[in-house]
Amino acid sequence: MSENDRHHPQQNHFCPAETMSEDEDPCRPSPPPPPPPPEPVSKKTRNCAAVHPSPHSDRVLEIVLEHVLQFLTVRRDRNAASLVCKSWYRTEALTRSDVFIGNCYSVSPARVTTRFPRVRSVVIKGRPRFADFNLMPQNWGAHFGPWVATMGKAYPLLERVYLKRMSLTDRDLCLLADSFTKFKDLVLVCCEGFGTSGLAAVASKCRQLRVLDLSDTEVLYDGVDWISCFPEGETCLESLIFDCVECPINFEALESLVVRSPALKKLRLNREVSIGQLYRLVVRAPSLTHLGTGAFGHPEPQDPNDQEMDYGSAFSACKSLVCLSGFREVMPEYLPAIHSICTNLMSLNLSYANIGVEQFKLLIQHCCRLQVLWVLDSVCDEGLQAVAATCRDLRELRVFPLNAQEDVEGPVSEVGLQAISEGCPKLESILYFCQRMTNAAVVAMSNNCPDLVVFRLCIMGRHQPDHITGAPMDEGFGAIVMNCKKLTRLAISGLLTDRAFAYIGRYGKLVRTLSVAFAGDSDTGLKYVLEGCPKLQKLEIRDSPFGDAALLSGLHHYYNMRFLWMSTCQLSQRGCEEVARALPRLAVELLSYEENEEMDNETVDVLYMYRSLQGPRDDAPQFVRIL
């Protein structure tokens, strides 16, 4: 299970990332013919023109287009605009302030900076999502170094960097802090490779820093007190998230930083912050809208002469609080302190809080406005029934397993799922881990929650059928794709035959991301999907019986996808090589699970394919073979 699950465009031309609409296409429309020569004018007219020159008509159109494109914010719309003609292509590039790179190896940093010279915000993603499940060997790549080195020279006005599943070093962070004098936002999700020294460089040198968010990111503790490195005086901080940082925190420096940051709205603390320290911070920052509580337990010994801490009153003063998370070492006896603020909560993350059913029911009955809820399955079916009775406006639900082992008796089942579907008709997204399920419950959800956009059902026991009828789960997932017309993301599991994949191929016309685990009968199942889902962008498959015939059935579609991942399937190197020959602009990587050994001539542990403009990467480790 990915910890990232706990936290928070397409075109006909080949495109390596959703913002990269360039491909130097020789078929682009040629420019219009030059206008006819102007009529002769008098000397007086010529003199007036010299004093008040009229801009060329093409330039007037470009100026108008620049103003129009500023209102175009959706990436797919901008990509489409860039394909109209050469003039629009140039103008769109000059007016684009943010770039999204869905795969760091899909295009070179130099090509991005040449194509888009005025960028202020960059989003770069690295390893595929299955890396979160330890399915990708360590040290695969996705290094930030080449990107920050190139952007440091090309984008002096860069303000925001968002990285996901990237590897970066302290040196990279130091270079970032030194290169961008107006840098404001740094968001790192599922990243690794750096330590507190790198954070200290960002904190001390980026004096306009507004956002420093570290989510599910591994930070090495090298003895540097990074919290103390923020500049003295009032700061610009609006968001500070470090709940994943597993190292001691200088609380006095943190408290001083909170006091010096009047604009601070989001604060998520790590487990080193006790409930007593949390009390002091909440008292000093009552205007927070998002709070991560840290440990939420283990108070320090209190001096008998000190006034007793009234946690309930401190939380009650936070009138603006709408998002609450943390509770990493929760002590249930302190939970009533937050009851007073639950009425205003829109989002509640209890995915680290191992609390029992009764404590949860006492808490959830106050959360009548809740739209987002993440919990552990320790709340049981009874807890989910309480959610259904109270949270009628719920839009997103995630239920994570306390014990992720297979073939154990799970505390949530089809009972909880059906209760949610009946009580929360506005539900749009669900991630549900369980040990058993029935087709009837899944069908009920498809009927009761037709606005579902994301449906991820993870039945942890392999090849588990409907536990009441013993039938495959085909009809349940078939109902989801048939009845949920807005569905774009689907994760399937349990005992599934080719019939389930036929349903997906026939009705899943908007599905963009499909995850498959331990499912399928034959190559025919995957063929149904590849031939029937025109919007498919990301396809993740593990431990399934698909082979070369299934792989080759998607040759017509792979250039339109961001990536394909297949691990522990029935692929041969010959089939992968055939794909590489047929699609030369596709990067085809074969990975071995034995990091220090070269793969043999037949075994394919992992196939990872993605579209790329730059050709094979030059930093592949020994266990990666690029075809």
Side-chain angles (χ1 to χ4, degrees):
M1 176 181 56
S2 165
E3 282 201 3
N4 180 51
D5 281 330
R6 296 174 183 259
H7 295 297
H8 318 75
Q10 281 313 306
Q11 54 199 19
N12 292 330
H13 293 263
F14 173 66
C15 172
E18 291 179 4
T19 56
M20 293 299 297
S21 53
E22 175 197 23
D23 194 20
E24 299 177 352
D25 192 337
C27 298
R28 290 186 185 277
S30 58
E39 296 293 330
V41 294
S42 66
K43 181 177 180 181
K44 180 177 180 180
T45 304
R46 289 197 299 270
N47 289 339
C48 291
V51 176
H52 303 287
S54 300
H56 193 278
S57 59
D58 285 351
R59 181 57 187 150
V60 172
L61 292 176
E62 287 185 6
I63 293 173
V64 172
L65 182 59
E66 288 179 6
H67 287 285
V68 171
L69 289 178
Q70 290 178 0
F71 296 96
L72 213 58
T73 57
V74 179
R75 292 194 299 268
R76 276 174 285 179
D77 292 342
R78 293 196 70 104
N79 290 345
S82 71
L83 297 175
V84 172
C85 62
K86 289 184 178 180
S87 175
W88 283 52
Y89 175 83
R90 291 191 300 267
T91 305
E92 192 281 323
L94 293 175
T95 58
R96 187 174 295 214
S97 61
D98 59 286
V99 168
F100 176 94
I101 307 298
N103 182 340
C104 63
Y105 289 121
S106 63
V107 64
S108 68
R111 185 162 187 156
V112 174
T113 55
T114 301
R115 171 76 172 90
F116 304 111
R118 300 178 182 176
V119 167
R120 300 291 184 93
S121 172
V122 173
V123 176
I124 307 175
K125 295 186 177 183
R127 297 180 295 276
R129 191 183 69 92
F130 269 19
D132 297 342
F133 298 86
N134 297 319
L135 295 178
M136 174 172 278
Q138 294 291 321
N139 305 314
W140 171 80
H143 302 293
F144 182 54
W147 286 94
V148 69
T150 302
M151 294 190 302
K153 300 174 182 177
Y155 296 151
L157 300 180
L158 191 70
E159 297 178 355
R160 180 177 185 267
V161 169
Y162 176 107
L163 304 178
K164 189 170 185 179
R165 300 189 184 96
M166 296 285 287
S167 296
L168 59 161
T169 65
D170 289 336
R171 183 177 180 181
D172 296 335
L173 290 176
C174 290
L175 183 56
L176 180 146
D178 290 333
S179 301
F180 310 121
T181 57
K182 296 186 177 181
F183 193 76
K184 297 177 180 178
D185 298 4
L186 178 62
V187 180
L188 305 178
V189 180
C190 297
C191 294
E192 61 183 15
F194 65 97
T196 51
S197 295
L199 294 180
V202 173
S204 62
K205 297 179 181 180
C206 300
R207 294 185 170 269
Q208 298 183 41
L209 194 66
R210 298 179 308 190
V211 174
L212 179 58
D213 291 356
L214 311 171
S215 298
D216 298 322
T217 291
E218 297 181 14
V219 180
L220 304 175
Y221 180 53
D222 48 27
V224 176
D225 179 11
W226 63 280
I227 288 287
S228 300
C229 294
F230 284 90
E232 295 294 331
E234 188 172 295
T235 77
C236 303
L237 269 181
E238 299 175 9
S239 177
L240 178 62
I241 295 175
F242 61 95
D243 50 353
C244 62
V245 179
E246 300 288 346
C247 65
I249 292 296
N250 183 337
F251 179 74
E252 286 70 24
L254 175 61
E255 186 176 28
S256 174
L257 178 62
V258 169
V259 171
R260 304 195 320 271
S261 305
L264 190 66
K265 298 297 182 184
K266 299 181 181 181
L267 178 64
R268 295 216 310 245
L269 309 165
N270 70 356
R271 67 173 71 246
E272 299 293 329
V273 178
S274 68
I275 191 170
Q277 293 170 331
L278 172 66
Y279 171 85
R280 291 167 58 179
L281 293 176
V282 169
V283 168
R284 292 182 174 274
S287 60
L288 290 173
T289 61
H290 295 63
L291 176 64
T293 64
F296 207 74
H298 305 295
E300 306 88 344
Q302 195 169 354
D303 192 310
N305 297 322
D306 290 343
Q307 183 179 358
E308 185 177 355
M309 296 180 183
D310 187 349
Y311 300 111
S313 297
F315 280 112
S316 297
C318 299
K319 303 296 185 182
S320 302
L321 201 62
V322 296
C323 180
L324 192 60
S325 62
F327 307 100
R328 291 185 173 243
E329 297 176 9
V330 63
M331 297 179 68
E333 57 265 34
Y334 289 106
L335 284 176
I338 66 173
H339 287 179
S340 60
I341 59 172
C342 287
T343 304
N344 294 327
L345 287 182
M346 307 288 284
S347 175
L348 177 62
N349 184 348
L350 298 173
S351 60
Y352 289 99
N354 182 12
I355 59 177
V357 177
E358 296 305 321
Q359 291 93 348
F360 178 73
K361 289 168 62 178
L362 290 173
L363 176 64
I364 203 65
Q365 67 182 356
H366 300 283
C367 302
C368 54
R369 299 181 59 194
L370 209 61
Q371 294 190 4
V372 177
L373 174 63
W374 298 3
V375 294
L376 287 174
D377 60 7
S378 60
V379 303
C380 302
D381 286 331
E382 187 177 348
L384 295 180
Q385 290 171 330
V387 172
T390 304
C391 309
R392 301 288 297 177
D393 205 33
L394 194 68
R395 309 299 172 89
E396 177 182 337
L397 173 66
R398 301 191 185 188
V399 181
F400 298 95
L402 181 62
N403 182 357
Q405 295 181 353
E406 299 180 22
D407 303 321
V408 298
E409 187 68 23
V412 297
S413 67
E414 76 281 357
V415 175
L417 187 73
Q418 181 143 355
I420 290 294
S421 73
E422 294 172 354
C424 308
K426 298 180 182 180
L427 197 68
E428 298 175 357
S429 175
I430 184 167
L431 169 63
Y432 198 86
F433 283 86
C434 62
Q435 293 286 353
R436 61 189 188 277
M437 185 51 59
T438 65
N439 281 302
V442 181
V443 171
M445 172 148 284
S446 75
N447 291 324
N448 296 328
C449 304
D451 292 331
L452 275 174
V453 177
V454 176
F455 183 78
R456 293 191 284 169
L457 177 59
C458 302
I459 306 173
M460 288 180 287
R462 305 187 185 192
H463 312 295
Q464 291 293 315
D466 182 315
H467 83 95
I468 292 180
T469 67
M473 292 296 299
D474 298 343
E475 299 306 318
F477 286 104
I480 290 291
V481 292
M482 279 190 280
N483 298 330
C484 302
K485 307 297 184 183
K486 302 176 184 179
L487 194 72
T488 62
R489 184 172 183 180
L490 177 65
I492 61 177
S493 56
L495 180 61
L496 296 171
T497 71
D498 290 341
R499 185 179 180 87
F501 293 90
Y503 283 134
I504 296 170
R506 183 174 181 181
Y507 298 104
K509 300 304 180 183
L510 297 183
V511 172
R512 298 173 61 84
T513 302
L514 176 63
S515 302
V516 181
F518 308 102
D521 275 343
S522 66
D523 290 339
T524 304
L526 188 54
K527 288 181 182 179
Y528 286 139
V529 171
L530 291 170
E531 294 174 359
C533 299
K535 299 288 186 180
L536 192 62
Q537 282 282 292
K538 294 180 279 187
L539 179 56
E540 308 166 328
I541 304 173
R542 62 167 298 188
D543 297 273
S544 297
F546 305 127
D548 293 347
L551 177 66
L552 295 172
S553 69
L555 290 177
H556 66 287
H557 189 59
Y558 291 143
Y559 272 155
N560 295 325
M561 293 176 59
R562 190 187 297 177
F563 71 80
L564 167 67
W565 170 283
M566 297 180 70
S567 60
T568 320
C569 294
Q570 297 178 7
L571 301 176
S572 71
Q573 290 198 29
R574 179 178 298 178
C576 299
E577 290 168 353
E578 190 170 342
V579 173
R581 284 193 298 268
L583 303 174
R585 291 185 298 181
L586 202 67
V588 181
E589 296 192 6
L590 305 184
L591 285 65
S592 170
Y593 281 132
E594 299 296 331
E595 295 186 31
N596 299 317
E597 296 182 9
E598 295 185 3
M599 62 187 67
D600 59 39
N601 293 325
E602 295 299 330
T603 304
V604 176
D605 289 340
V606 178
L607 167 67
Y608 180 44
M609 299 194 314
Y610 53 90
R611 54 193 183 187
S612 176
L613 289 181
Q614 70 178 45
R617 59 189 178 108
D618 58 6
D619 63 349
Q622 185 179 11
F623 58 84
V624 174
R625 178 186 173 193
I626 302 179
L627 302 180

